[in-house]
Amino acid sequence: MTNATPSALPETRMPEFRLYNTLTRSVEPFVPTDGRTVRMYTCGPTVYNPAHLGNFRTFLFEDLFRRAIALQGWTVQQVMNLTDVDDKIIKRALERGLTIQALTDPVVETFHADRKYLRIQDAESYPRATEYIPQMIALVERLIANGVAYQADDQSVYFAIDRFPGYGKLSRLDRREVKSGARVAQDEYSKENAQDFALWKAAKEEDERTGAAWDSPWGRGRPGWHLECSAMAMELLGETLDVHCGGVDLVFPHHEDEIAQSEGATGKEFSRFWCHGAFLLTEGQKMAKRLGNVSNVQGLRDEGVTGAAYRHVVFSTHYRKELNLSADALEASLTAVRRVGEFAARLASATGGTPELAQAAAEAEREFRAALADDLNAPEAMAALFVFIKRANAELDRHGDDAAALEAARRVFGIIDGVLDLVPERGDTDAELAAWVDERLAARKAARAARDFAGADAIRDELLARGIELKDTPQGTTWQRR
């Protein structure tokens, strides 16, 4: 009986893709409506400040999602909005004597640079709210015509939540306990209900001064925050989306209000699935060991934390669980992606494998696909990768000559890293390696100074295991790769 070759291994079956739906509070089978293209709307940043690492935790789970969609054989049509007009933007522009466009243009550029640093794939569209004012006005007109919106005495237009029976179905809040959301005008004397939210805000002097006012049937004004997303989503993706994503903090009021105004206008379900990522937490003073008070991507750059390493940090925790960002977690992730990079280099330079290598690859692919299909279980997907690396390294140590097995391992590793994207760039790898070696050499020097020669030898062995040779000279210790 001959050993199995990659061509004889069973084909990897596509597992059923399942996703947690905030609307139903359950994990459900997910397929695009037409069986081919996932129409996906993801709430993007409000561009008055660079997006912080918590924002990017959400954007990274969405990046994982779109890559998992491709792995299923579907295409994706992703829209991520850029909110470039709202109360915070107008206030900041006023303080700096700028128009909202002059304020937001550089922040949009920073967002895209940060996104690329973290290897977040391009969405198909990045609409800016100010580019869709006519669509927003048309949506408000439909809502007024349908009797679920009204113009109040202050000349602003509000959505009447009491006239929309489904209000609260996403957040499951008792309407009697609902408090008016952020960015919503609070003039209770001009609204039917204190909880009614603004669709179109009558222009104030600061709006006019910063270029944040437009003509409308209700006078000069600007869109409400919630209105922007509904208008852009339906204009670019249709009246019913396959999935709408964002951070858990957007469930109420933002996404609840999006549902109300979208379904209040069309009478159709706005999104079949709602998918939300949990918060990013930090350890406060403990972060000072490595990052101090860094909270954005530029801070990661300054401290030498690569995009690959931050991806590893984020994917180490399921997207629906809170993630604690600590110095220890960042250090562990820098080490982990270094290991991935070393394996990638070894796999690329290998000349043959073994039948067991092909078997390890097949099992890794099966487990990886199953993990992603199980509500985007990134920790389990990464576990499949690192088990594969361990098994594959052991097989490569045997110096087999099975070219087909090696090709199978390369194919599977390409599939996995095509989703997780953890292989550092060569420059990243070199910089990380040098920093790590320097740290270990300092520890070895300290051990020798303390006459802990066993500890110093252990560090030398640790370096050798990574392919680093040391040479002690009168001028100090030098190192090189084997």
Side-chain angles (χ1 to χ4, degrees), residues 332-355:
S333 290
L334 284 165
T335 299
V337 298
R338 187 181 305 118
R339 183 181 173 200
V340 175
E342 291 168 354
F343 175 72
R346 185 179 191 191
L347 199 61
S349 63
T351 57
T354 64

Side-chain angles (χ1 to χ4, degrees), residues 155-228:
Q155 302 307 303
S156 295
V157 180
Y158 295 94
F159 186 92
I161 66 170
D162 288 337
R163 304 185 201 173
F164 183 74
Y167 193 82
K169 64 183 178 181
L170 180 68
S171 54
R172 299 193 177 183
L173 295 176
D174 187 322
R175 204 180 296 185
R176 293 168 298 181
E177 299 174 357
V178 169
K179 295 180 180 180
S180 299
R183 312 186 204 189
V184 178
Q186 300 296 314
D187 184 358
E188 296 185 13
Y189 297 100
S190 66
K191 293 193 287 183
E192 293 180 1
N193 184 315
Q195 285 76 47
D196 290 351
F197 60 89
L199 296 166
W200 186 262
K201 297 184 176 185
K204 298 178 181 178
E205 180 185 354
E206 55 263 35
D207 302 333
E208 297 286 4
R209 287 173 58 186
T210 57
W214 291 266
D215 290 326
S216 81
W218 317 284
R220 297 278 291 173
R222 61 182 172 91
W225 173 40
H226 315 301
L227 180 75
E228 297 172 3

Side-chain angles (χ1 to χ4, degrees), residues 49-316:
N49 259 348
H52 56 69
L53 295 182
N55 300 139
F56 277 106
R57 192 221 171 163
T58 298
F59 303 154
L60 279 166
F61 115 69
E62 294 161 350
D63 181 65
L64 181 75
F65 189 8
R66 65 171 287 132
R67 294 180 191 229
I69 287 169
L71 192 63
Q72 289 291 119
W74 303 322
T75 58
V76 62
Q77 187 69 24
Q78 181 188 0
V79 173
M80 175 177 278
N81 72 295
L82 302 174
T83 297
D84 62 349
V85 55
D86 88 327
D87 295 346
K88 293 179 181 178
I89 291 171
I90 292 166
K91 180 181 178 184
R92 181 69 55 83
L94 197 65
E95 291 169 350
R96 297 185 181 179
L98 300 172
T99 64
I100 58 170
Q101 182 175 354
L103 176 73
T104 59
D105 281 353
V107 183
V108 170
E109 291 182 11
T110 297
F111 166 69
H112 285 302
D114 289 348
R115 180 177 61 78
K116 292 180 185 299
Y117 185 79
L118 297 180
R119 306 177 180 191
I120 295 172
Q121 291 183 343
D122 294 347
E124 281 62 41
S125 181
Y126 290 98
R128 294 175 65 144
T130 54
E131 299 169 344
Y132 286 79
I133 300 299
Q135 290 86 347
M136 296 174 197
I137 290 173
L139 179 55
V140 175
E141 289 178 320
R142 290 179 73 179
L143 291 167
I144 292 174
N146 288 351
V148 291
Y150 60 94
Q151 186 172 20
D153 295 340
D154 65 358
Q155 302 307 303
S156 295
V157 180
Y158 295 94
F159 186 92
I161 66 170
D162 288 337
R163 304 185 201 173
F164 183 74
Y167 193 82
K169 64 183 178 181
L170 180 68
S171 54
R172 299 193 177 183
L173 295 176
D174 187 322
R175 204 180 296 185
R176 293 168 298 181
E177 299 174 357
V178 169
K179 295 180 180 180
S180 299
R183 312 186 204 189
V184 178
Q186 300 296 314
D187 184 358
E188 296 185 13
Y189 297 100
S190 66
K191 293 193 287 183
E192 293 180 1
N193 184 315
Q195 285 76 47
D196 290 351
F197 60 89
L199 296 166
W200 186 262
K201 297 184 176 185
K204 298 178 181 178
E205 180 185 354
E206 55 263 35
D207 302 333
E208 297 286 4
R209 287 173 58 186
T210 57
W214 291 266
D215 290 326
S216 81
W218 317 284
R220 297 278 291 173
R222 61 182 172 91
W225 173 40
H226 315 301
L227 180 75
E228 297 172 3
C229 283
S230 287
M232 290 185 285
M234 291 195 291
E235 174 71 15
L236 295 169
L237 296 172
E239 293 182 342
T240 299
L241 317 176
D242 286 308
V243 60
H244 193 311
C245 302
V248 68
D249 55 316
L250 298 181
V251 173
F252 183 85
H254 186 47
H255 289 165
E256 192 71 70
D257 291 354
E258 277 191 64
I259 290 174
Q261 64 201 8
S262 302
E263 298 184 3
T266 69
K268 302 174 183 176
E269 183 178 34
F270 178 44
S271 183
R272 296 169 47 236
F273 275 74
W274 290 84
C275 196
H276 294 94
F279 289 120
L280 176 75
L281 309 176
T282 62
E283 288 188 356
Q285 292 303 311
K286 288 181 119 179
M287 285 287 287
K289 279 197 307 188
R290 173 144 191 117
L291 291 183
N293 295 318
V294 166
S295 62
N296 56 36
V297 175
Q298 184 58 52
L300 294 181
R301 288 192 188 94
D302 293 343
E303 294 295 335
V305 178
T306 63
Y310 190 65
R311 290 178 72 88
H312 184 275
V313 168
V314 169
F315 297 155
S316 296

Side-chain angles (χ1 to χ4, degrees), residues 352-386:
T354 64
E356 290 78 12
L357 177 62
Q359 188 62 46
E363 291 175 11
E365 181 179 5
R366 183 168 60 251
E367 291 167 7
F368 179 76
R369 288 181 181 271
L372 286 181
D374 181 20
D375 191 28
L376 302 174
N377 194 331
E380 288 296 323
M382 286 209 305
L385 168 62
F386 284 98

